[in-house]
Structures are given as structure tokens and as C-alpha cells.
Amino acid sequence: MSGATAMANFKPYDYNQTTMVVINFEEQLQPGTFEHAIHYLIDERLDLSIFHPQYKNDEGGRPAYDPAILLKIILFAYSKGITSSREIQWCCETNIIFKALSCDTVPHFTTIASFVSSYPESIEALFEQIVLICDEEGLIGNELFAIDGCKLPSNAAKEWSGTLDELKQKRDKIRKKIRHCIKEHKKLDRRRSDDKVRAQRLEKSIATLDSAFNKIDQFLKTASPRMGKAKVSKEVKSNITDNESAKITSNKGTFQGYNGIAAVDKKHQIILEAQAYGEGQEYHTLQPMLEGIRGRYKRLGLSDNIYQDGTIVTADTGYANEDNMQYLRAEGINAYVPDNQFRARDKRLKGQKDKHGPRHPGTAGRGDIYPASRFWFNATAKSCVCPAGNAMWLHSERQDAHGNTKLSFEGRLTDCRSCPQNHACMHNPAAADHGKGHGRQVQFTIRKQPRATDWMKRRVDSKRGKEIYSHRMSVVEPVFGNLTANKGLNRFSLRGKAKVQGQWQLFCMIQNIEKIMRYGTSMAS
């Protein structure tokens, strides 16, 4: 019929239907993918008998899931930023790659959670096996190791932190609130009030407060003060939920968590050592990390003392203190660990802070005032000149327990009051403006013996030292970027140092397995 519109004829389809599909699980794990890499390594290269002693069902009980199956789905899930055991179980039910890795089994989420948290020593041994494979594949150069930390929140709230005295005060405040709520509830009863909404609200508040009170009270009955790592140790904040975690401050704010420390080899960014610490300060982690690397190389038969083979070690300013410098010098470790003033001494960076502002603004209060390094100190004459060019007077001189001379200088109030730089130099410039308080105070130390820190300063400030240290950031920071941004590691989901360390090492395994996948000779086929 002329002029009629032609009608298209399509094959019918219906998404709401069930069909049988023949799938070969091995074919779903294509070479060149991460799932194929973990499948190959776990089946062909890794010895999982390290997990077997934990199982006691050889004579009775139902069969357990093979550690190979659990490791495959957990590592693959972590590589996709999935740490929830319930979500991993759901993926095994619905996702074809998870089905292929698990051979169409669906471990219960409690089984998955238990596996991650119950075998920290076996996970450590597995991490070591992967490091050995990386060496066999030629991925470790042993030229330069960079050490740094990745601070992350954990499964604990900072609101439950405090010294024992602070927690006692919090418990007592909660007790008072409970008594007040009970008193108000009794008033309603006496009045025979029909205000059921308020009565229910009070009952709910009493139950919530009572739970919090019991939680703090039970902790205080068994807890002892948690002491810091400094030489003159003082009590640090405990945490009721996870007392091995710490209140940590980073450029992302303050949170309760752990610091995941990693030592990374320069050649292919292989992580050689991975440890988690529940302390905000990093300086006390340097020695155990270095000893951990040395011990690992010795156990694997790679080197009796890797630091005597010319390997360079770098770490940032958070690891610099006198004890660490003495350790590095005594052990003959070729290390470059700058103090927190090394940038101020570098002429190439002069004026950088004025141009770009502080590196971490807003995290240190009045930490932007002139440091002591801005003052000209003459140890021979025992004199000091401030940044504005005014001579300061010697306020006090004393000897410390080590025989070092401590010199304290103070600016004259008349000079500081009229100084145009006083707001950048003084803690309380308003007082000086009104003729009150003191001028700027600064202290210097004349040491009886040369410090190991001064030895390290000369190394870092040298031309070679600057060149070597410039590699640190490009070695270790991309690793943390990969784990946090690409792999979705934004928090540790477990509690307790051993469990968190196991989870941290699982993520570090993913970094190393990816390198084996991309650059390893055995994965080329």
C-alpha cells in the first residue's frame, strides 16, 4: 500500500527469565588480570600449609573452606576496596569473577571475617613468601629503601579515649546524668503525668547512659595507665574500644586509628616490610622496621646484613631523633633522615613558605611563628640576634644532666613592642604591644659531645644527600596513593594491633602481586 509506514520486526527478548549457562571458571580468569595473578600465585607458587595447623577437624567436624579459596576472594575483594565480610559473601553469590575464584562456593561472612582476623602470623609468613617471589622475579633492586607511614582511622572512636583520670571523670559525669534522669522520671510518676513521650525519652536516655557507664567502669577495673614511648615516659590516652590504637593527628584531622608503616624498594616499588603501630609518633618505629627488613633478608637467604651491601635507606623528618641517628651511625647504615629544619637550611627553598604558606596549615596552632633557626646564635660569644637584627640578652645559663649547656635568650620588651615583625615572631604579641609580659624567648644548647643528629645534618645537606633524599617521595608516596585512592583503603575495619597489622599486610600483598603481574617474568605467558 503506497504511503504506508513500514513496521520493523525484532526478535523478542525478556530479561525476567531464568536460563542455564555453561561456564568454565578457569576461562573467567583471563591472563593479565589481577584475578588471574592471585589464582596462579596461590595455586602454583605459595605454600599455604602455614594455615593448616589452625584446623583441628581431621578426625571430626565438617570440612572447612580451603585457605586458598578464602585468600583468593579476600585479596580480590580488597583490591576492589571491599572490606566488609557481608559484602564479600554477597559478591560470591552474584559476581562471576568471585564465583570463578571461589569455585561457586559461598563462604559465610563470619567465616570470611574470622579468617582475616584469626591468622596474623600466617598472613605475615605469606607476605614474606610474596617478597621472596618478587626477588626471584627480579623486581627488587636493593639500591634504595624508602620508609614512611600511612595514618588511617580504625574501628574505634576517639570519643572513648582519655587518660585513666579523664575516663574516671567521664564516668562520674555519666553517673550524675543517670541520677538526674531517674529523678525526673520519678517526678513524672509522682505527678501521674500522661506525658508518655517524655517518659519514653527518659527511659531511653537512662538505658543509653547506663550502657556507657558500665562500659567505662568495666574498662577502669582492669586497665592500667598506658605509657608513651619517650625516654621520660608519661601517660598517654587509652581507648576503651581498642586500647592498642591511638589518637592520631594528620593533615586530614584527628582520629582514632593506626599508622601503617611500609618500607618500599625503589626499583619496582615492592613493599619489603609492613607493620602497623598504634602510636601517632613515628620516630620509635624506625629501628624495628630496619631490624625487620634485616631479619627477613636473613631468613630468606638473600643477605646476612643487607645494610652492608650498599643499600641506602631514606625516611622523612618524622623518624629523626638523636637515638635513631646514633643507631644508624653505630650500625653503619647508609641512611638519609633529615631533621625538621632541613628545608629551612636549603637555599633552593628560600622564600617557599612565604610564597606557598606552611606545608600543613591549621594543624599546629601557632606553629607558624619564627623558629629558633631564624635567630643568629654565636656559641663562642654566647650571644644571640633576633631576625629583626636586635641583640637579645642572656636570660639564663645552666647545665643539664648530660653536661650540655642550655642558654636562654630574651628580647628586650622595648625592642619587641615596636618591632614590625612581632606578630610573626611572638606567641603573644598583644601583650608586648601594651608593654606587658616578656619579649620573645628562645633557647639554644651547646653540647658537650657532638650529636649524631649533627652528623646526619651534614649528610642530608650535602649535594649527594639532597640528590638521594629527593627520590624518597617518588618511591613511597605512589604506593600509599595506590592503596588509598585506587584500592579504597580509607580505614582499618578491625580492632587490635595484630589484626590490623594482618589487614595492612594483606593490602601490601596486593601492591606486590600487582607488580608481579605487570613485571614478573613468570606472568608473561
Side-chain angles (χ1 to χ4, degrees):
M1 184 182 297
S2 61
T5 303
M7 298 295 292
N9 186 17
F10 299 115
K11 290 184 178 182
Y13 57 89
D14 181 10
Y15 285 109
N16 187 25
Q17 62 179 319
T18 303
T19 185
M20 296 290 290
V21 179
V22 178
I23 296 175
N24 183 291
F25 292 136
E26 195 90 42
E27 292 177 356
Q28 307 307 310
L29 308 174
Q30 292 295 308
T33 62
F34 184 75
E35 55 266 26
H36 177 267
I38 56 177
H39 175 65
Y40 164 76
L41 290 172
I42 289 174
D43 280 3
E44 305 294 336
R45 303 288 296 275
L46 296 174
D47 177 14
L48 301 189
S49 64
I50 53 178
F51 292 95
H52 295 174
Q54 312 295 331
Y55 294 88
K56 308 294 183 183
N57 62 345
D58 53 333
E59 296 181 356
R62 64 180 181 179
Y65 284 100
D66 194 310
I69 293 292
L70 296 173
L71 270 173
K72 288 176 184 179
I73 62 174
I74 289 168
L75 286 172
F76 185 67
Y78 278 19
S79 75
K80 301 300 181 184
I82 303 170
T83 57
S84 166
S85 55
R86 292 176 185 269
E87 190 171 353
I88 295 174
Q89 177 187 336
W90 180 80
C91 288
C92 290
E93 295 170 347
T94 59
N95 186 289
I96 187 60
I97 301 300
F98 279 90
K99 281 180 172 290
L101 290 172
S102 67
C103 274
D104 204 22
T105 60
V106 184
H108 195 263
F109 71 88
T110 56
T111 302
I112 297 169
S114 176
F115 186 83
V116 173
S117 61
S118 300
Y119 308 113
E121 293 180 358
S122 299
I123 291 173
E124 163 76 24
L126 193 68
F127 175 85
E128 189 163 283
Q129 289 186 47
I130 291 177
V131 171
L132 180 59
I133 292 173
C134 290
D135 181 75
E136 293 170 350
E137 300 280 319
L139 304 182
I140 301 176
N142 297 325
E143 175 191 352
L144 183 144
F145 300 159
I147 299 175
D148 207 349
C150 182
K151 298 177 180 178
L152 294 171
S154 65
N155 192 9
K158 66 180 180 180
E159 289 75 16
W160 292 102
S161 294
T163 62
L164 295 192
D165 284 341
E166 289 171 347
L167 292 173
K168 288 175 183 177
Q169 292 174 13
K170 187 171 185 177
R171 179 194 61 185
D172 294 342
K173 286 181 180 179
I174 293 174
R175 182 191 283 125
K176 289 180 181 179
K177 289 180 180 179
I178 292 173
R179 289 173 178 170
H180 174 75
C181 289
I182 293 174
K183 188 176 179 180
E184 291 296 310
H185 197 278
K186 287 180 178 179
K187 285 181 181 179
L188 288 177
D189 290 342
R190 285 196 298 267
R191 295 171 186 169
R192 297 181 181 179
S193 173
D194 293 332
D195 192 351
K196 293 182 179 180
V197 174
R198 190 181 176 200
Q200 290 175 352
R201 190 182 299 121
L202 284 170
E203 288 172 3
K204 188 175 181 180
S205 296
I206 291 170
T208 302
L209 291 169
D210 192 55
S211 175
F213 175 86
N214 290 330
K215 186 174 182 179
I216 298 174
D217 192 54
Q218 289 299 319
F219 178 82
L220 290 173
K221 285 178 180 178
T222 58
S224 55
R226 185 178 176 186
M227 309 308 291
K229 299 287 186 179
K231 282 186 176 180
V232 183
S233 185
K234 62 179 182 179
E235 186 181 359
V236 298
K237 293 181 183 294
S238 300
N239 185 268
I240 294 174
T241 309
D242 180 4
N243 202 26
E244 292 183 296
S245 65
K247 209 168 187 178
I248 293 175
T249 299
S250 72
N251 57 355
K252 297 178 181 178
T254 301
F255 49 81
Q256 194 73 26
Y258 286 85
N259 193 358
I261 310 292
V264 183
D265 179 79
K266 179 186 175 184
K267 184 176 181 181
H268 282 294
Q269 295 173 317
I270 299 297
I271 300 175
L272 304 171
E273 180 73 3
Q275 303 289 335
Y277 293 90
E279 289 91 18
Q281 299 295 328
E282 294 174 321
Y283 60 85
H284 67 275
T285 68
L286 181 64
Q287 294 185 35
M289 286 293 292
L290 292 173
E291 292 298 334
I293 297 171
R294 181 170 13 215
R296 191 181 306 286
Y297 269 70
K298 195 168 184 178
R299 285 193 301 274
L300 295 176
L302 303 179
S303 173
D304 287 338
N305 189 344
I306 185 62
Y307 306 121
Q308 301 302 316
D309 299 339
T311 300
I312 298 169
V313 174
T314 64
D316 71 7
T317 59
Y319 299 85
N321 70 357
E322 180 64 15
D323 287 345
N324 283 343
M325 300 308 106
Q326 290 178 2
Y327 166 81
L328 294 171
R329 185 161 64 173
E331 294 292 322
I333 298 175
N334 188 15
Y336 293 85
V337 185
D339 61 289
N340 59 7
Q341 295 298 320
F342 86 103
R343 287 188 177 86
R345 295 191 302 270
D346 193 337
K347 294 180 180 179
R348 299 173 302 173
L349 304 178
K350 186 177 181 181
Q352 186 182 53
K353 185 176 287 188
D354 296 335
K355 181 179 180 181
H356 300 289
R359 296 180 67 214
H360 303 302
T363 60
R366 282 296 312 232
D368 55 343
I369 66 169
Y370 288 166
S373 59
R374 295 284 297 267
F375 293 73
W376 289 274
F377 170 61
N378 187 322
T380 304
K382 295 182 179 179
S383 63
C384 183
V385 177
C386 76
N390 298 315
M392 305 175 73
W393 63 283
L394 181 60
H395 179 267
S396 66
E397 178 179 348
R398 63 181 180 86
Q399 301 288 320
D400 65 12
H402 303 288
N404 302 319
T405 303
K406 301 280 188 179
L407 302 175
S408 296
F409 294 89
E410 184 175 317
R412 292 177 174 80
L413 192 56
T414 53
D415 291 335
C416 293
R417 181 173 36 201
S418 59
C419 180
Q421 302 182 50
N422 62 7
H423 281 72
C425 182
M426 300 182 67
H427 291 276
N428 188 10
D433 291 342
H434 293 87
K436 299 178 182 179
H438 300 274
R440 169 63 194 270
Q441 296 172 322
V442 65
Q443 181 175 281
F444 295 93
T445 302
I446 302 176
R447 301 193 176 272
K448 187 177 181 180
Q449 298 293 337
R451 296 186 306 165
T453 300
D454 296 326
W455 162 76
M456 182 57 72
K457 283 182 180 180
R458 291 191 293 272
R459 288 174 60 80
V460 173
D461 291 346
S462 66
K463 183 177 180 181
R464 174 170 170 75
K466 292 175 182 177
E467 179 183 353
I468 290 173
Y469 187 71
S470 66
H471 293 288
R472 183 201 68 83
M473 188 174 291
S474 62
V475 173
V476 68
E477 295 297 345
V479 173
F480 293 152
N482 179 40
L483 296 180
T484 56
N486 297 337
K487 302 299 178 284
L489 176 60
N490 54 22
R491 66 187 293 270
F492 295 115
S493 60
L494 304 176
R495 294 174 181 169
K497 182 180 184 298
K499 295 178 181 180
V500 169
Q501 182 162 299
Q503 191 171 50
W504 173 237
Q505 288 177 339
L506 284 170
F507 271 98
C508 291
M509 284 185 212
I510 292 170
Q511 163 75 14
N512 290 350
I513 292 172
E514 282 188 335
K515 296 297 181 178
I516 296 172
M517 176 187 76
R518 290 172 183 158
Y519 306 109
T521 55
S522 64
M523 302 296 293
S525 58

